[in-house]
Amino acid sequence: MSFKDKKTLSLEAASIKEFEQNTFVAGNYTLLKSAVIYGANSSGKSNLIKSLEIMRILIQESPKMSSTDKLEVEPFFLNAETENAPSYFEVLILIGNIRYRYGFEVDRNIIHTEWLFSSKSKTEQLLFVRDKTQIEITKHFPEGKGIEERTRENALFLSSVDQWNGGISKKIVNWFNTNLFIVSGLTHEERRRVTLMLNNVEITKKRIENFISPLDLGFNGYRIEIKNGGDSYSVFTNHNKYDRHGNVIGTRLMDLDRQESSGTNKVFDLAGYINGSLLMGCTIIIDELDAKLHPLLTIAIVKLFNSIEHNSQNAQLIFATHDTNLLSCGEFRRDQIYFTEKNQFEETDLYSLVEYKDDNGVKPRNDRSYEKDYINGRYGAIPFIGDFSNLINDGQSIEV
């Protein structure tokens, strides 16, 4: 899409002494509990998140496709060298204490390359490597033997081995299926099903209630009514009803969809994913987390993930936002703050605040006002607003 060159978002902590409660140790690595992505509209924040979603879809769906089906990838179209080139995807994940490095290059027709490495220390060992239809399997990946010939040129080898119950491949595919949540903060309605599902179990229902209650959404409880044998449902919020003296004289149910705000609906819809990831130690990625939410609600969600008490399973939150208030709330290390910015050729760059250097090669200190500096353009990744003089009314009028 808008990424012409390889860019990396890393949740491995840098060697800085800031908010160490925002980190945790897993195996040989010190990792971050959260990361925030800033940038102007159309700078590539959503494309970064879409890229990981596309990677997951390819892992899930490519073995099920026919030999003539097209793979849903888009190259960087605005350069003659890349408009027909394969797209590159790679992820490094920890499963247990083993780090896996898995990736591939793919266009709409075929898998060009594919690779898998593992390591228990800093030294990697190759499990397999692929160059189009030529697949080399090492002794560390015996589950792949005999499946090379069964793998179509438009199917990922890892996913094909998983379909034959390969142990290592199944762990990696399951991570994408069950440990990675990717959610839109704008079109979140279809995500409500997870909140409803967690309400069927008393312990998780109580957790959802304890998450919603402190957020001051104006109601004091909710009720879910299942209809038509489970085919449909309604959610109602419970409000106090008062007499003219301000005394509570009863309660009134309000329909969540029709009578509550879009922000309240968003909180309810995403409550399942947020609390599910905290309970299971998953990675959740939310585009436009701040949309429809008061800044204090967004800060409250971030604090849950950065907390030692509330995030005992070391879940990780990655989100894109325009809410600059978060830069002043004292919740982020410099290595947790990322920026996307397009250059004159419309290529997206991705960089963290801990990597950033000004024109004199100086890095920002940790005592600076990140919000003020960002709004003033010190770190880039902001829109440059043009001249609106052409909008001045010249005396003409339009009747509507």
Side-chain angles (χ1 to χ4, degrees):
M1 290 182 285
S2 61
F3 291 90
K4 177 179 178 289
D5 301 311
K6 179 181 175 181
K7 302 296 176 184
T8 301
L9 175 74
S10 175
L11 268 72
E12 185 172 6
S15 300
I16 56 176
K17 299 295 183 181
E18 300 171 15
F19 302 109
E20 294 189 23
Q21 71 272 16
N22 293 6
T23 69
F24 64 95
V25 175
N28 298 313
Y29 302 91
T30 301
L31 303 179
L32 300 170
K33 294 180 180 178
S34 63
V36 58
I37 308 165
Y38 285 94
N41 293 106
S42 193
S43 64
K45 300 186 300 300
S46 295
N47 282 346
L48 176 65
I49 295 171
K50 288 177 185 175
S51 296
L52 194 51
E53 176 71 0
I54 290 169
M55 185 179 193
R56 179 170 67 176
I57 291 172
L58 291 174
I59 290 170
Q60 293 172 334
E61 302 299 329
S62 69
K64 308 171 188 176
M65 299 166 59
S66 73
S67 59
T68 58
D69 286 339
K70 299 297 182 182
L71 300 166
E72 295 298 323
V73 294
E74 291 185 15
F76 182 75
F77 284 118
L78 303 182
N79 186 285
E81 294 181 357
T82 59
E83 62 180 336
N84 296 310
S87 296
Y88 175 102
F89 301 83
E90 185 179 67
V91 66
L92 285 76
I93 55 176
L94 277 173
I95 302 177
N97 288 326
I98 301 177
R99 191 194 77 175
Y100 293 98
R101 178 163 68 90
Y102 173 65
F104 48 83
E105 291 179 288
V106 56
D107 62 21
R108 286 183 59 79
N109 298 307
I110 65 169
I111 312 297
H112 286 257
T113 60
E114 187 180 0
W115 58 91
L116 177 63
F117 292 82
S118 70
S119 63
K120 292 184 178 179
S121 61
K122 296 294 182 180
T123 303
E124 286 189 325
Q125 62 184 16
L126 174 67
L127 277 69
F128 73 81
V129 64
R130 172 185 188 174
D131 184 0
K132 295 184 179 176
T133 58
Q134 300 300 311
I135 303 173
E136 177 186 339
I137 301 170
T138 71
K139 63 181 181 180
H140 306 295
F141 196 66
E143 63 195 67
K145 292 291 185 182
I147 303 178
E148 312 99 303
E149 297 81 7
R150 300 188 179 100
T151 303
R152 301 186 321 276
E153 62 178 1
N154 67 341
L156 291 168
F157 180 59
L158 180 82
S159 305
S160 300
V161 177
D162 168 58
Q163 292 205 320
W164 290 87
N165 295 317
I168 294 173
S169 57
K170 186 168 291 296
K171 286 196 298 184
I172 297 171
V173 172
N174 281 346
W175 184 88
F176 279 93
N177 289 339
T178 62
N179 281 65
L180 177 65
F181 303 150
I182 302 176
V183 182
S184 169
L186 295 173
T187 56
H188 46 80
E189 293 79 8
E190 71 277 7
R191 304 297 181 176
R192 184 177 295 181
R193 58 184 175 81
V194 175
T195 303
L196 299 175
M197 181 181 67
L198 292 182
N199 270 274
N200 291 327
V201 181
E202 189 59 34
I203 187 171
T204 50
K205 178 178 184 290
K206 189 65 176 177
R207 185 182 178 95
I208 297 290
E209 292 172 344
N210 290 339
F211 166 72
I212 291 176
S213 178
L215 297 179
D216 191 26
L217 298 176
F219 56 87
N220 53 23
Y222 61 88
R223 189 171 81 193
I224 300 170
E225 292 186 1
I226 306 299
K227 302 176 181 179
N228 302 324
D231 292 335
S232 62
Y233 66 89
S234 293
V235 181
F236 298 94
T237 55
N238 191 60
H239 294 256
N240 287 333
K241 187 176 180 179
Y242 301 88
D243 65 16
R244 63 193 182 96
H245 301 294
N247 300 311
V248 177
I249 59 171
T251 59
R252 172 87 181 196
L253 293 177
M254 300 288 190
D255 185 276
L256 177 64
D257 290 317
R258 294 189 302 105
Q259 295 174 293
E260 298 289 359
S261 71
S262 57
T264 297
N265 274 268
K266 176 176 177 174
V267 170
F268 188 85
D269 292 345
L270 298 189
Y273 275 91
I274 291 170
N275 287 277
S277 62
L278 288 167
L279 282 169
M280 297 184 292
C282 299
T283 299
I284 181 170
I285 303 175
I286 306 178
D287 193 11
E288 304 279 5
L289 172 61
D290 59 310
K292 308 178 188 177
L293 300 183
H294 190 280
L296 292 180
L297 267 67
T298 309
I299 292 173
I301 293 170
V302 171
K303 284 183 175 181
L304 284 176
F305 282 86
N306 286 341
S307 164
I308 295 173
E309 177 186 2
H310 297 291
N311 189 8
S312 60
Q313 299 302 309
N314 298 321
Q316 293 175 297
L317 168 68
I318 302 169
F319 67 99
T321 183
H322 293 289
D323 185 356
T324 60
N325 292 285
L326 298 172
L327 294 172
S328 297
C329 72
E331 286 296 319
F332 292 109
R333 298 156 48 100
R334 283 172 293 168
D335 53 359
Q336 291 179 281
I337 301 170
Y338 274 82
F339 302 103
T340 56
E341 182 176 52
K342 281 185 178 178
N343 62 17
Q344 61 180 322
F345 306 109
E346 298 192 48
E347 304 163 359
T348 294
D349 191 14
L350 174 71
Y351 53 94
S352 73
L353 187 56
V354 79
E355 299 170 306
Y356 175 81
K357 294 180 181 179
D358 64 20
D359 293 339
N360 297 317
V362 178
K363 291 187 174 184
R365 302 191 310 270
N366 62 359
D367 61 351
R368 292 199 63 89
S369 172
Y370 300 150
E371 181 181 18
K372 180 179 178 181
D373 285 348
Y374 173 58
I375 290 296
N376 289 333
R378 184 182 183 93
Y379 310 134
I382 60 171
F384 292 94
I385 309 300
D387 184 3
F388 285 141
S389 60
N390 288 333
L391 291 178
I392 296 175
N393 193 328
D394 59 1
Q396 297 180 344
S397 63
I398 301 174
E399 292 185 3
V400 294

